[in-house]
Structure formats: C-alpha cells, structure tokens
Amino acid sequence: QKEVEQNSGPLSVPEGAIASLNCTYSDRGSQSFFWYRQYSGKSPELIMSIYSNGDKEDGRFTAQLNKASQYVSLLIRDSQPSDSATYLCAVNILNTGNQFYFGTGTSLTVIP
Amino acid sequence: GAGVSQSPRYKVAKRGQDVALRCDPISGHVSLFWYQQALGQGPEFLTYFQNEAQLDKSGLPSDRFFAERPEGSVSTLKIQRTQQEDSAVYLCASSLGGTGDFPYEQYFGPGTRLTVT
C-alpha cells in the first residue's frame, strides 16, 4: 500500500467552479502535508503546506486536513483555465527523515 | 532570490554510459534532496543531504547511483553504466531546515530529463 493515495482523474470543472482534490495517507505518523502543482513538462511548484487539523486559506486555495480520517484536500475556488495541471499531494512522516512521500497526482482540467 | 537550478535540462545517453547531473540549491538552504519522477507518477525519493553530509540514501535504486555534495552547496547525482530503466526526470529540491527541524517546504528545480537509448 502506497503511503499517499490520490485519484488520478482526470477531473474536469467549468471555469468559475470550485475544484476539489483529495488525498489520503496511510501512516498515522504523517505530520506535514503539502500540495504541489505541476504543469505538463515542468517541475512541481509548491502551493500550500498544512500542519494542523482544520482549514488553511491562501487566496483562491484552501487546504483541509483531518488527521483522524487521514485525509487532506485542496479546494480551488473560482477555477481558471490556468489552473489546469496535475496536483500532487506530499506528506512527511515522523521519524523517517525529511523526505516527502508523493501521491501520483490528480489531473485537473478547467473548461472555459 | 534565485531558485533551484539544474543542469543539463536534457540528457541523452547511450546504454552503458556514465552521466552526471548537477543541482545548485537556493542559497542558504541546508537540505538538498534528489527525487526521480517517471512519467505519470509522483516524485520518488532517492537521497538526502544536510549540508555536506549524506544522511539518507535509502532510495537509490542500485549501486550504480551515487550522489555527493562536497562543500554543502552544489550537488551532483552520478549514474554509472546507464540502463534504459534509468530514463526519467531527475528532480532536485532544497529546503531551509535540516534534520531535527520541523519539516520545511521543499522547492524544486526544473529537473533533468534523462533518456537512455
């Protein structure tokens, strides 16, 4: 079982809608959670980090963490065509060093 | 300031050749990571440096892979006797904190796309 699971998609939403991206993780020692955006042919770009249960908002992005359910999500409000990309969830697990474990990513398409 | 840089951006190697991939992290970043990303997959951890010390190399797939960071700044990932299965994008990331610090965000370079023919 992989440490981090994501629905590969593709997920399609109309422009202006809310896109919801989900990620589950298996290790209860996971302590830090990150969302990256990766455009085709480019490297991952950090969007947000979240460390505590609850919501964290940054502009149009909201990360939600529920450690009891081992679940982290990313909401993108007012989705734009430029948000079309693959979104990677990453976790750091306590006592396994500073490496990140990544999911396979969810492909998002925002339709104009 | 400048981000993480990597060179070359693209590398084509014949099977059996040795290659060297370079990473220049963000100035002042203590930690440096190498990841391998296959098509359609998320990055997979290869190795981790804190300053010049290689603290974790558990992700290196074989003894053909070797990494160093001799002065605690620039790092080189070397692959000896390349095989077709080594074809992937090799990503370098750097982070401000080190072991024992709360995990800091990692910032990625543009990657090196290695194709072994």
Side-chain angles (χ1 to χ4, degrees), chain A residues 26-98:
Chain A
S26 60
D27 196 313
R28 289 200 173 271
S30 301
Q31 58 174 348
S32 311
F33 307 86
F34 305 86
W35 283 99
Y36 286 83
R37 176 175 62 197
Q38 188 171 28
Y39 292 113
S40 181
K42 302 294 186 184
S43 63
E45 172 192 7
L46 181 68
I47 300 175
M48 289 189 70
S49 57
I50 185 166
Y51 305 102
S52 304
N53 276 331
D55 294 1
K56 180 181 178 182
E57 187 174 317
D58 184 359
R60 295 186 297 112
F61 299 97
T62 299
Q64 300 175 316
L65 175 61
N66 184 325
K67 290 188 177 180
S69 301
Q70 297 178 238
Y71 177 94
V72 57
S73 65
L74 180 70
L75 301 179
I76 307 175
R77 288 183 300 282
D78 188 24
S79 295
Q80 300 298 308
S82 59
D83 295 326
S84 298
T86 294
Y87 289 79
L88 295 163
C89 172
V91 307
N92 173 265
I93 302 173
L94 187 65
N95 296 328
T96 67
N98 286 19

Side-chain angles (χ1 to χ4, degrees), chain B residues 23-80:
Chain B
C23 172
D24 199 341
I26 294 171
S27 178
H29 276 198
V30 168
S31 294
L32 185 147
F33 303 82
W34 284 98
Y35 290 87
Q36 180 190 61
Q37 187 174 25
L39 195 63
Q41 301 296 313
E44 296 274 350
F45 170 76
L46 294 176
T47 187
Y48 162 59
F49 290 85
Q50 180 176 299
N51 297 310
E52 69 279 2
Q54 188 174 23
L55 298 187
D56 188 347
K57 54 182 180 179
S58 61
L60 296 176
S62 78
D63 59 7
R64 296 185 295 104
F65 286 71
F66 170 76
E68 60 183 4
R69 193 186 184 198
E71 296 177 359
S73 178
V74 171
S75 177
T76 303
L77 176 66
K78 298 180 180 177
I79 309 173
Q80 296 176 324

Side-chain angles (χ1 to χ4, degrees), chain A residues 3-23:
Chain A
E3 287 84 2
V4 181
E5 300 273 3
Q6 294 182 258
N7 186 328
S8 62
L11 173 66
S12 294
V13 300
E15 184 174 354
I18 296 175
S20 178
L21 303 158
N22 305 314
C23 172

